[in-house]
Amino acid sequence: MEARLRTVARSGRFTYGPLGRELEQAIAERTGARHAVAVGNGTDALVILLRAAGIGPGDEVIVPAYTFFATASSVLHVGAEPVLVDILPGSYAMDPEAARAAITERTRAIMPVHLFSQMADMRRLRDLADEHGLLLLEDSAEGIDMVMGGVHAGLWGKGGVLSFFPTKTLGSLGDAGMVLTDDDEVAARARRLRSHGQEVDGSYEYLELGYNSRLDEIQSAVLLTRLETLGAEIERRAEIAARYDRQLAALAPAVRTPWFPETAEPGNPVFYVYLIESDRRDALVEYLTEHGVGTEVYYPRALTEQPALAALAGARHPVPVAVAASRRAVGLPLYPDLTDDQVDRVCELIARFHKETP
């Protein structure tokens, strides 16, 4: 990594350049995508994907109610309206039947999200999109190396995205993102939109209003280096998840460990987050914090409860599973450098909490 960073510093080229193009090629080869378009961050990737696919004012896009805010805000940023629907227990992904019920004459796209460790049921969602003549887009920000039915996350429909935020399975030292697509026209427009609307960088000819969202060379250097160990890191994440599974199983039903609902096509788990559920989530978080264990609540509010989205007609669908998850779910420490002793310590504290606290 140091060698690559020195190369960047000596080159004087700090925005999208040779390392950015090398990263795009490496991600395309790893995912099987025809095109990988590097951008400044995962949220920009969503906005650019939506615009490149033709989503705009007057359109409705169906998204799950349990996800990071950017899934919905990106739809609003292109002038369309997100319609929030419920999720399936376990996968935390969009419920295909809830999506079916939300389709109207204005619906233009369905955009599922792949959360934590597994993909949404993409066969059912693609069949639904095809049945109604809708675009299928994917918020696959967490989906690096997730595959279902032999197809990488982000490539089941018109396109998807990757985020390389520092906490992600493949993380940079800042913000970075990628648009994935097999569609030549979507890719060409995404490349134009990331650079202010220029067909060719540096041409100073702008065909439409775009964004300043070129991936910088420093993050490209970091990501190219981290790609070399990604497979081993994913294997270590799986080992840690299995260790949690074994030790926390005895605490059921007070603690619910990750589970994998049956899908129409087989998929492979890739543990970005190890998420448990507990009826006493907030007290457990406080206890673990007091004992030096970090946690992350994903997500403390369903999108239907976000003030910025309250006026949306599409935020009024009942989403009981999403709301329940927002009250019960919490992520435990999970990263490749975590030791077995540290995992055991977390499990010991969770067991002690349930034994000692009322």
Side-chain angles (χ1 to χ4, degrees):
M1 185 180 294
E2 288 176 354
R4 283 192 171 105
L5 291 174
R6 288 193 190 98
T7 299
V8 173
R10 290 167 180 163
S11 74
R13 178 66 184 265
F14 296 103
T15 57
Y16 177 75
L19 291 182
R21 290 188 287 274
E22 184 181 345
L23 178 66
E24 288 177 329
Q25 182 177 351
I27 292 294
E29 290 174 357
R30 190 175 190 101
T31 62
R34 182 177 174 85
H35 302 280
V37 182
V39 297
N41 57 70
T43 301
D44 282 1
L46 282 170
V47 172
I48 288 170
L49 172 65
L50 286 161
R51 277 194 62 188
I55 302 298
D59 295 334
E60 291 180 348
V61 179
I62 297 173
V63 301
Y66 186 73
T67 179
F68 184 57
F69 186 71
T71 307
S73 69
S74 62
V75 177
L76 289 165
H77 277 301
V78 302
E81 182 171 338
V83 177
L84 311 179
V85 301
D86 212 358
I87 59 171
L88 291 170
S91 74
Y92 303 100
M94 181 185 292
D95 180 344
E97 292 309 309
R100 179 185 296 277
I103 293 172
T104 72
E105 62 182 12
R106 292 177 54 205
T107 304
R108 182 77 188 286
I110 300 173
M111 189 163 73
V113 183
H114 311 312
L115 283 181
F116 309 133
S117 58
Q118 57 191 305
M119 291 175 63
D121 194 334
M122 294 308 298
R123 173 63 65 188
R124 291 177 64 192
L125 288 167
R126 189 165 76 179
D127 288 348
L128 177 63
D130 290 346
E131 178 184 344
H132 291 271
L134 304 175
L135 294 174
L136 181 62
L137 305 171
E138 295 170 66
D139 182 345
S140 46
E142 299 174 7
I144 188 71
D145 272 24
M146 290 186 189
V147 175
M148 178 172 285
V151 179
H152 193 281
L155 298 174
W156 273 83
K158 203 72 167 176
V161 304
L162 294 174
S163 170
F164 304 121
F165 184 75
T167 63
K168 292 293 191 287
T169 309
L170 177 61
S172 59
L173 295 183
D175 278 321
M178 192 81 71
V179 175
L180 302 178
T181 184
D182 289 332
D183 187 293
D184 294 347
E185 293 182 5
V186 169
R189 193 174 183 204
R191 293 188 180 101
R192 186 164 66 239
L193 287 169
R194 74 177 170 189
S195 187
H196 296 287
Q198 296 179 94
E199 188 73 43
V200 179
D201 279 351
S203 69
Y204 296 100
E205 181 182 14
Y206 305 97
L207 305 184
E208 60 180 316
L209 289 177
Y211 310 94
N212 181 20
S213 190
R214 292 162 295 184
L215 182 60
D216 70 65
E217 288 287 89
I218 290 175
Q219 301 309 334
S220 298
V222 171
L223 290 166
L224 282 166
T225 305
R226 292 209 59 208
L227 265 174
E228 296 170 4
T229 58
L230 180 61
E233 291 187 357
I234 288 174
E235 289 180 7
R236 176 57 186 159
R237 287 172 176 270
E239 291 173 359
I240 293 168
R243 195 173 188 90
Y244 274 132
D245 283 346
R246 290 192 298 270
Q247 297 189 55
L248 296 179
L251 299 179
V255 173
R256 183 150 197 182
T257 55
W259 72 104
F260 300 90
E262 184 177 352
T263 54
E265 297 276 359
N268 67 309
V270 175
F271 279 91
Y272 164 53
V273 170
Y274 188 87
L275 202 76
I276 64 170
E277 289 192 16
S278 170
D279 288 335
R280 302 169 61 198
R281 192 266 313 276
D282 293 344
L284 175 60
V285 167
E286 183 178 355
Y287 183 86
L288 291 174
T289 301
E290 290 172 353
H291 289 81
V293 175
T295 58
E296 184 74 24
V297 173
Y298 300 96
Y299 295 95
R301 292 185 179 190
L303 292 184
T304 51
E305 300 177 320
Q306 290 292 350
L309 305 179
L312 292 176
R316 298 184 191 133
H317 291 101
V319 290
V321 182
V323 170
S326 72
R327 307 289 192 267
R328 292 171 45 85
V330 60
L332 301 181
L334 179 68
Y335 48 90
D337 295 332
L338 200 66
T339 68
D340 288 349
D341 287 345
Q342 288 172 323
V343 175
D344 296 345
R345 172 65 172 162
V346 175
C347 294
E348 174 192 339
L349 287 168
I350 294 173
R352 189 190 303 171
F353 167 82
H354 286 91
K355 180 179 180 180
E356 298 179 355
T357 61

